[in-house]
Amino acid sequence: MLRNDRADEALDVILQGTRYGNRQEGVHEALGAEALLIAAHLAAGDPARRTELTNRMGRSPPSHPSMRVVLTWESDASDLDLEVVDRYGNRASWFTGMASGGEVQANISNGYGPEVFAVDHASGFPYQVRVRAARMGPIGLGAGTVQIIRHDGAGTVTVEDRPFVIQQDGATVELGKIERQGVALPVSIASGQSSSK
């Protein structure tokens, strides 16, 4: 919805998900953080709405740059793990953060995700993204997507999808690098295209 210039509708849906959705660890936190980015996008487009959005969200929409790397997958019997490595070789996974900033916020071990790496004022570019199959379900493969969600601090949000399939227990899929962005593109232009290098 956000990619199709339906930000108000996207915010309504995501907030409904935080109230009535899945009670799994990490889900509400992930949805709430993404709702704040949508609110920042709306406030940038109409600054007069900032107070209304702050009241609705219970806190101010962020005004600093941030990046979220979000792993979700399609089998409730699989356990997939997100791993992010910065340019210094520091690795963030579910049990450790990075000296350059950022951490994986939850370890979802019984399906669907999300596992989220979040960093404010990212400085470790380029980041390398990997997904590891800790345990495969009975269908024998893990299919999913890593989304890279960036906020420039001024209300522009970009979303990039990197789909994957893992077919073996213990296997790791490399999903390329996340490079520093020069100029952020509007959501509708930057949607869905992988620029992994």
Side-chain angles (χ1 to χ4, degrees), residues 2-3 10 16 23 56 94 104 110 116 120 123 129 145 147 149 152 154 162 180-182 189:
L2 182 63
R3 291 175 180 172
Q16 183 176 357
R23 300 286 182 217
R56 187 171 181 195
W94 67 270
V104 174
N110 58 353
V116 180
D120 293 335
S123 62
V129 180
T145 302
Q147 286 190 319
I149 304 168
D152 69 355
R162 295 188 184 181
R180 183 182 312 273
Q181 282 183 319
I189 295 172

Side-chain angles (χ1 to χ4, degrees), residues 2 7-8 10-11 14 33-43 53 157:
L2 182 63
D8 276 298
L11 185 59
I14 207 164
E34 290 174 19
L36 281 168
L37 294 181
I38 295 169
H41 177 74
L42 288 167
L53 290 162
V157 178

Side-chain angles (χ1 to χ4, degrees), residues 127-148:
Y127 292 90
Q128 180 68 42
V129 180
R130 301 179 183 123
V131 176
R132 186 179 71 81
R135 182 187 69 247
M136 302 301 294
I139 61 172
L141 62 89
T145 302
V146 167
Q147 286 190 319
I148 295 128

Side-chain angles (χ1 to χ4, degrees), residues 20-73:
Y20 306 111
N22 188 330
R23 300 286 182 217
Q24 174 128 355
E25 174 192 7
V27 172
H28 281 89
E29 294 82 1
L31 292 175
E34 290 174 19
L36 281 168
L37 294 181
I38 295 169
H41 177 74
L42 288 167
D46 184 358
R49 292 189 63 191
R50 182 166 283 279
T51 300
E52 168 226 332
L53 290 162
T54 297
N55 292 338
R56 187 171 181 195
M57 302 301 301
R59 59 185 183 175
S60 293
S63 58
H64 60 273
S66 64
M67 181 176 70
R68 298 172 56 74
V69 181
V70 182
L71 165 65
T72 57
W73 60 96

Side-chain angles (χ1 to χ4, degrees), residues 103-188:
E103 64 183 2
V104 174
Q105 297 178 329
N107 178 33
I108 308 300
S109 60
N110 58 353
Y112 301 119
E115 287 195 9
V116 180
F117 170 78
V119 61
D120 293 335
H121 306 285
S123 62
F125 293 102
Y127 292 90
Q128 180 68 42
V129 180
R130 301 179 183 123
V131 176
R132 186 179 71 81
R135 182 187 69 247
M136 302 301 294
I139 61 172
L141 62 89
T145 302
V146 167
Q147 286 190 319
I148 295 128
I149 304 168
R150 301 192 211 204
H151 176 234
D152 69 355
T156 300
V157 178
T158 60
V159 181
E160 176 189 340
D161 293 330
R162 295 188 184 181
F164 65 87
V165 174
I166 299 178
Q167 297 180 311
Q168 182 178 352
D169 262 336
T172 296
V173 173
E174 299 281 342
L175 293 175
K177 292 180 182 176
I178 303 171
E179 302 286 351
R180 183 182 312 273
Q181 282 183 319
V183 177
L185 300 174
V187 171
S188 58

Side-chain angles (χ1 to χ4, degrees), residues 79-115:
D79 177 9
L80 303 184
D81 290 328
L82 176 64
E83 185 177 284
V84 178
V85 179
D86 70 10
R87 72 175 173 198
Y88 309 106
N90 299 315
R91 184 176 66 148
S93 58
W94 67 270
F95 51 87
T96 183
M98 275 196 263
S100 64
E103 64 183 2
V104 174
Q105 297 178 329
N107 178 33
I108 308 300
S109 60
N110 58 353
Y112 301 119
E115 287 195 9

